[in-house]
Amino acid sequence: MVFPKRSTLRRKVKERFEELQLNLKKRLQQFSSKMSFTIDGWTSIAGRSYYGVTIHYIDNEWKYRSVVLDFIPSRGRHTGEDIATIFHECLLEYDIIDKIQGITVDNATANTKFMHELDKQLPHFDSDNQHFRCFAHILNLGVQHLLKTLALHSETDNKGQEQQYEDNEDETEEDEEYVLNIADSRTAITKLRSISSKTKRSEILKRKFHSACEAAGVPSNLNPILDCPTRWNSTHDMIGFGLKVRTGINILCTTVTELNDFQITDNEWQILEKIHKFLINFKLLSTKLGEEKYVTLPLVIVSFNLLLDKIESMVNQLDEKHNRSEVDERLILGFQAARDKMLKHYKKSNWICCTSLILDPRHKTQTFDMTLWGKQIKTESLRKFTELYKEYKSLHSVNTSLESPRNEKKVCEYEDVIDFEKLYACPSTSSGSGSFHQGLVIDELEEYLSKPRAASSEDILEWWRIHETEYPTLSKMARDFLSIPATSVPAERLFSKASLVIRKHRNRLSDESARWLLCINSWSKE
C-alpha cells in the first residue's frame, strides 16, 4: 500500500474544506430567517491564540442547527475592536452580514467593547438588543464567589480571580496541571485538590489510594478528579468524587506521610457535603442550558429565578435553625454572596430573554403569573413583545420553528433540585391565558395567548411546525429569536476539539490546517 505524500494530503484536505464551505454558504443563503452566533477566544498548547465562531439557526425543515462557522487565528489581537474586526470579516466571507439576530458571549469586558465596536461597523446592529451574556458563565461566577467567600480557595486561587473571570476571559484553556503546594493546604477544597493532584501524578500513590479504598469498602475503580476555575462544574465533580471515597481518602492521608498535612477533618467534610448539595443545581442548569441541539433561550429567565428561589429557601432554612453552628453562618454568607454576584451580571441581561418566554408555547404568559418574579416583569415584557410583534407584522408574514430536549439525562439523585415541571401546564388541564390587557390586542397574537398552553412534554419545534400557517407572524418571530443560544458553550466545545487537533505532538500544525480540520469535522456532519 502506498501512502500519499504530505503535500497530497494537505491538498485534498483543502479541497474538501472548500467544497464543504461552498455548500454551507449556499445553504445559509437559502434561509430568510435570522441567525445567531457565539464567539470566544482560546490559546493552544503552542501558545497561539484563536477565536472560534459558531452559527445557530432553525432551518426550513424545522431543525435547530449548530455549526462551526470559523476558527480564526487572532495573532495576539484581543481588544474589543480586534474581535469586532475578526467577526465582521467572517460575516463578509459568508455574506450573512444582514442576518444577525443575536451574539452570545461571556462577561469579559473586551466582549462588551466588542459589541459597541460592532455597533459602529454594522449599520443595522444594535449592541443593546443583540448582545446576549453567557448564562453558564454567570453561574460559574456565582460558584467561584461562593468558594471565595467561604475561604474554600487559598489566596493563591483567589489572587486576581475577579479579573480572570470578568475582565480578561481571553485565555480560557482548561489547564490539567492545576497544582498546589503544602503552603496552600489550609482549607477543605485546597486539601482535596492537593490530594487529587498528587495521587493523579504518582503511580505509587494511585496504587495506595486504590488499596485504601478497597480496605474502606468504597469504590476502588475511580480515578481522582481535579477541578479548574474555568471549567464549569469541575469543582462539583471533584467534591462528589471526594465524598464517594471519603473513607479511603482518610486512610490514605493517615498512612502516607506525604499526605499527612492534607487530612480533611469531619467538620470540613460536613462543609463539602453541603457545598456539593448546593452546587448540584448549578450543574443542572449549566448542563440544561449548554445544549446545542434544542432551543435554550426561553429557559434563561425561568432557570435563573428558580435558582434564586432555591438559594433563598436554603438560606432561610439555615437562618431559622435555633442552634446555628459556625459552619451554618459561613454557608449563609457564601450562598448570599453567590446570589449577589449572579444578580450583578443577570441585571445586565438582554430583555429579549423575557419576551422569548412568551414564544414558548409551554409557557406563554401564564408562567409570569405563577411566581412573584414573573409578576414583576410581566407588564414590561408584554409591552415589548407587543412592539416586536407589530414590527414583525408590518415587515413579514413568514414562518418559524423550535425544538426541545427530549430524553434528558438525569443529572443527580438528589431530591432537592430545581423542579421545572411546576411552571408547566398539566397535559390535560392546561388553560388559556385570559385577556391580553395591553390595549394593543391584535388578531393573531390575541388568539395565540388565549388558547391553552402546550404540555410540558411537547416538542416545541414540532408545535411551531404544525402551527406555522395559523400564526405566520409569531412563527417568524420564533424562528428568529429562538435561534439564540443561552450560553457560549458551543464555542467552548469547539476548543475542546481544537485541543485534540493542536496537541503536544502536533504543535507546529499551521493555522490553515487547524482551521480546515476543525471546520470539516463540523460541516461533514451536516
Side-chain angles (χ1 to χ4, degrees):
M1 180 177 179
V2 179
F3 289 97
K5 296 181 180 179
R6 185 176 64 175
S7 58
T8 302
L9 283 175
R10 178 181 171 83
R11 186 184 72 254
K12 289 185 176 295
V13 169
K14 181 181 179 181
E15 290 172 353
R16 180 62 172 162
F17 168 83
E18 291 174 345
E19 176 191 353
L20 292 175
Q21 185 184 46
L22 182 60
N23 291 338
L24 178 62
K25 288 180 179 179
K26 291 179 179 178
R27 195 160 63 248
L28 295 179
Q29 291 305 313
Q30 293 174 356
F31 305 131
S32 59
S33 61
K34 299 285 188 175
M35 301 167 186
S36 299
F37 305 84
T38 71
I39 181 171
D40 204 353
W42 176 76
T43 303
S44 71
I45 193 172
R48 298 199 300 270
S49 54
Y50 302 86
Y51 280 101
V53 183
T54 65
I55 185 170
H56 310 266
Y57 58 94
I58 299 170
D59 67 15
N60 295 332
E61 300 299 323
W62 313 100
K63 302 295 183 183
Y64 190 84
R65 301 294 185 185
S66 297
V67 184
V68 172
L69 191 62
D70 218 333
F71 185 72
I72 311 161
S74 68
R75 309 197 196 290
R77 299 175 293 168
H78 298 295
T79 66
E81 184 176 357
D82 293 331
I83 303 172
T85 300
I86 290 172
F87 185 72
H88 190 189
E89 291 173 351
C90 181
L91 296 180
L92 287 174
E93 183 176 3
Y94 287 87
D95 193 23
I96 51 175
I97 206 164
D98 59 340
K99 293 190 175 185
I100 303 175
Q101 182 60 52
I103 305 174
T104 305
V105 292
D106 60 37
N107 295 274
T109 302
N111 284 328
T112 303
K113 294 177 180 177
F114 154 49
M115 291 297 168
H116 291 308
E117 187 61 32
L118 197 62
D119 202 343
K120 298 176 185 177
Q121 296 185 20
L122 302 179
H124 302 296
F125 183 77
D126 184 348
S127 59
D128 292 328
N129 294 326
Q130 292 178 283
H131 173 195
F132 293 83
R133 297 173 182 272
C134 174
F135 186 70
H137 187 248
I138 294 176
L139 290 177
N140 194 43
L141 288 173
V143 171
Q144 298 305 321
H145 207 62
L146 163 71
L147 299 180
K148 177 182 177 181
T149 303
L150 292 176
L152 291 180
H153 278 321
S154 67
E155 293 178 5
T156 302
D157 297 330
N158 286 332
K159 187 176 180 181
Q161 193 172 45
E162 293 295 319
Q163 186 170 0
Q164 177 185 3
Y165 284 101
E166 298 177 58
D167 297 332
N168 187 13
E169 193 68 15
D170 292 326
E171 297 187 12
T172 57
E173 65 271 24
E174 300 175 351
D175 186 5
E176 293 284 355
E177 311 301 329
Y178 193 75
V179 188
L180 294 167
N181 54 40
I182 292 180
D184 296 320
S185 60
R186 293 184 292 275
T187 66
I189 289 285
T190 50
K191 285 180 180 179
L192 183 57
R193 184 181 296 124
S194 296
I195 294 168
S196 295
S197 173
K198 290 177 178 293
T199 305
K200 194 172 184 178
R201 288 166 165 267
S202 170
E203 184 66 27
I204 295 176
L205 281 181
K206 194 175 293 185
R207 290 179 181 177
K208 290 182 178 180
F209 168 69
H210 289 153
S211 297
C213 288
E214 288 179 0
V218 296
S220 59
N221 59 340
L222 301 178
N223 289 318
I225 297 175
L226 202 57
D227 74 334
C228 176
T230 56
R231 188 182 302 130
W232 303 327
N233 301 321
S234 61
T235 301
H236 169 272
D237 294 340
M238 183 181 73
I239 296 175
F241 156 77
L243 293 173
K244 285 181 181 179
V245 295
R246 170 178 174 175
T247 312
I249 289 177
N250 288 338
I251 294 175
L252 182 69
C253 292
T254 302
T255 56
V256 178
T257 305
E258 182 183 354
L259 299 179
N260 287 165
D261 293 319
F262 300 106
Q263 292 188 52
I264 300 175
T265 66
D266 291 340
N267 192 49
E268 288 172 332
W269 280 118
Q270 182 184 359
I271 294 176
L272 290 176
E273 286 177 352
K274 293 185 177 182
I275 293 298
H276 186 254
K277 183 178 180 180
F278 178 75
L279 294 183
I280 187 60
N281 283 310
F282 287 79
K283 179 172 183 176
L284 171 67
L285 295 188
S286 59
T287 302
K288 190 179 187 73
L289 294 171
E291 282 292 340
E292 52 184 317
K293 295 183 179 180
Y294 54 82
V295 172
T296 54
L297 191 65
L299 299 172
V300 169
I301 298 298
V302 173
S303 299
F304 187 83
N305 285 283
L306 287 177
L307 179 60
L308 287 183
D309 291 343
K310 183 64 65 176
I311 293 175
E312 288 297 328
S313 175
M314 297 180 76
V315 169
N316 290 336
Q317 287 178 12
L318 292 172
D319 194 45
E320 291 171 359
K321 290 178 65 174
H322 295 294
N323 299 315
R324 290 202 303 268
S325 64
E326 181 183 350
V327 172
D328 294 330
E329 296 290 351
R330 289 173 62 190
L331 288 172
I332 289 174
L333 292 175
F335 294 163
Q336 291 174 334
R339 176 200 62 196
D340 294 342
K341 173 62 71 172
M342 290 189 297
L343 277 171
K344 172 185 174 182
H345 294 280
Y346 173 73
K347 289 177 179 178
K348 302 175 184 177
S349 298
N350 197 312
W351 64 270
I352 295 292
C353 295
C354 297
T355 59
S356 68
L357 193 64
I358 301 174
L359 288 169
D360 187 337
R362 302 170 305 172
H363 287 289
K364 296 190 178 180
T365 57
Q366 287 95 319
T367 296
F368 291 114
D369 294 321
M370 295 174 67
T371 60
L372 178 61
W373 49 264
K375 293 175 181 177
Q376 294 172 346
I377 63 176
K378 177 181 178 180
T379 301
E380 186 65 10
S381 297
L382 286 173
R383 184 186 68 80
K384 291 185 174 182
F385 185 86
T386 304
E387 291 177 356
L388 270 177
Y389 173 76
K390 292 178 67 177
E391 180 181 338
Y392 264 74
K393 190 171 181 65
S394 65
L395 294 175
H396 314 282
S397 181
V398 202
N399 32 28
T400 180
S401 59
L402 162 63
E403 186 170 354
S404 64
R406 294 178 184 176
N407 297 318
E408 294 182 356
K409 295 180 180 178
K410 189 175 180 182
V411 178
C412 68
E413 297 179 355
Y414 287 109
E415 295 181 358
D416 191 26
V417 296
I418 290 173
D419 180 15
F420 289 92
E421 295 297 318
K422 66 182 181 182
L423 295 181
Y424 293 120
C426 296
S428 59
T429 61
S430 57
S431 59
S433 62
S435 300
F436 181 42
H437 300 296
Q438 293 297 306
L440 294 170
V441 178
I442 310 173
D443 46 74
E444 181 185 328
L445 178 57
E446 181 182 17
E447 182 181 358
Y448 171 74
L449 292 175
S450 65
K451 287 190 174 180
R453 291 190 292 171
S456 61
S457 58
E458 184 75 47
D459 184 325
I460 310 175
L461 180 74
E462 182 66 12
W463 192 97
W464 277 111
R465 186 189 69 80
I466 294 172
H467 295 84
E468 177 196 5
T469 54
E470 185 179 357
Y471 305 116
T473 303
L474 289 172
S475 62
K476 172 61 181 175
M477 292 176 65
R479 170 170 282 170
D480 287 352
F481 288 104
L482 298 175
S483 68
I484 303 168
T487 71
S488 59
V489 169
E492 298 290 344
R493 289 198 178 101
L494 171 60
F495 300 148
S496 295
K497 293 178 181 178
S499 65
L500 299 176
V501 174
I502 310 173
R503 56 185 190 271
K504 183 176 180 180
H505 299 293
R506 296 182 71 186
N507 59 58
R508 295 182 65 184
L509 190 71
S510 71
D511 294 337
E512 274 188 336
S513 296
R515 180 197 185 202
W516 296 341
L517 292 172
L518 289 168
C519 288
I520 288 173
N521 176 265
S522 175
W523 298 343
S524 59
K525 297 174 184 177
E526 291 293 308

